[in-house]
Amino acid sequence: MTTLRQRLTRALDARARGNTALGPYHVTVDRDLRVPMDDGVELLGDLYRPLGADPALPTVVIRGPYGRRGIIGGAARALAYEGFPVFFQSSRGTWGSGGRFTPQIDEQRDGIATHRWVRRQPWFTGRLATFGESYMGYTQWAVAGKMCREDPDIAPEALILQITMPDFGEITWDNGAFALRNALGWSNLMDRMGRGPRGLITIPFADRQLHKAFDVLPLSAGDTAAVGHPIHWYQDWVRHERLTDEYWTRQSHTESVSDVTAPVLMVTGWYDIFTPWQLRTYRRLVEAGNPPRLTIGPWGHLSRGKAGPAHRDSVAFLKEVFAGTPSGRAAPVRAYQTGARQWHDLEVWPPAGSAARDWLLHTGGGLATAAGPAGVTRYTYDPADPTPAVGGPSLTPQTLPMDNAAHERRPDVAVFRSEPFGAPLDIAGEPLAAIRIRSSAPSFDVFVRLTDVHPDGRSVTVCDGIRRIGSIGSAATDPPPDDDGFRVVEVALWPAFHRFAAGHRIGVQVSSGAHPRYARNPGTGEPADTAATIRAARQEISHEGPHASHIILPVWTP
């Protein structure tokens, strides 16, 4: 007999998944089980047990730093309703677990110790899968490749990786630019969590103090401005600009992705903060001979629309892998095409039929496949009035495409547009911009955004990307200037699967910032953690010669 509270919890869990019908099992919870780590620290976890479930189904392990109950615990409960025992553990130094929380650093050793412990428990079903999104996906990457390679008998036998990646350094310093809104916003959230429920009274990403802190220089003062004291990992992040520093390499698990031999399901969205890297890890697994199931929807990191499809895909995947129940999936990849607003079943991503096509940026704002008149486009970037971010992937709910029409009237944004199309144009893959640019400042950013320009004048985001030049972190990969001081800066844009409808136009923006999504470039080339002096930059985009500025679009013919 279920209690009123249990029925209410189930109803809320179903509602959080778009009113998805959840499984039939009643669930009991064993709270605060203690798991000893190799250094003697004990981590706490909760065991969700479905009553009367098929014992052949796997035990699912979830590990993360965001707590285990309430909304966060909903993922564990939802799987348990379907018949899967779930062990949900809090990372070191969070929510009652012992030790000190240092993001990423301890997840591999703690995860491996937890896997060994779970397999020794009397409630273990004999098979083990891992599950989770965002940081709870990173904890899966931390152990999977190493265990598959070195200890395959106790390695996870399936992984469900949602909106995540195996190397958080790459997103923190995105092509040399510091992802300020996410890094400081997340640090603010975790600091508040560490202070208990009282610290979460205000919504951390809507905190006025946080928004003021985004404008503070140097970057190393941002955490104190936001929460009143330094946050030790945030200080580490701003101090280590080079992704080759041992600080970052010891927490990167990208190289072990190809060692994962267990079946994998990936779920992501076109507007998620991890999408480029998640699709690159997908590609690594494909090339290693272990192609994952992949779902890509019209979602951001916190989109509510993702929860229902992700839950259904996860349950079907686990039952197919462990019970032999056909999932009913038509193809390994299921991807939503924006613009066309339709789903496609594909054998692989990017799909067959994609071919690169150059579109040249013309003097005067044109965009075409043929060369235009020679010349340059000029604008000035002033870090005292930094070019603002308009939408874009973030850890806030507001990540869906936005209209850029007003933004494109700013004098520090160069805009280029094609003629209207007589027939639809589809792209599928990762666009690449090659901007031939010269700057008066020692260090500058190149931010490129692709838009869909509607007949009514709206210029709606499709995808974008950034690259920093002249910084400590970018020095090893900066393209050299030519005799005229121009550099050809290649900027990889977010992956996209989009249709430009008939009558629409392609739009391309080039600017030098998107603050506070990315920290403004002070322009001096000084270390990011201490740079407080700012310098305006006069930028010139070249439209002439064999390396004239252009964008390469992956045009898809279905």
Side-chain angles (χ1 to χ4, degrees), residues 50-85:
L51 301 178
D54 181 354
L57 293 178
T59 300
V60 178
V61 172
I62 306 174
R63 300 188 63 257
Y66 303 124
R68 308 184 298 281
R69 300 171 193 178
I71 295 174
I72 292 294
R77 291 191 299 271
L79 289 174
Y81 296 143
E82 307 288 350
F84 302 98

Side-chain angles (χ1 to χ4, degrees), residues 108-130:
Q108 185 173 84
R109 64 170 180 168
D110 289 350
I112 291 173
T114 300
H115 278 244
R116 289 174 177 158
W117 180 85
V118 167
R119 287 183 177 273
R120 295 194 300 265
Q121 302 313 301
W123 41 261
F124 177 59
T125 59
R127 307 290 299 278
L128 188 149
T130 57

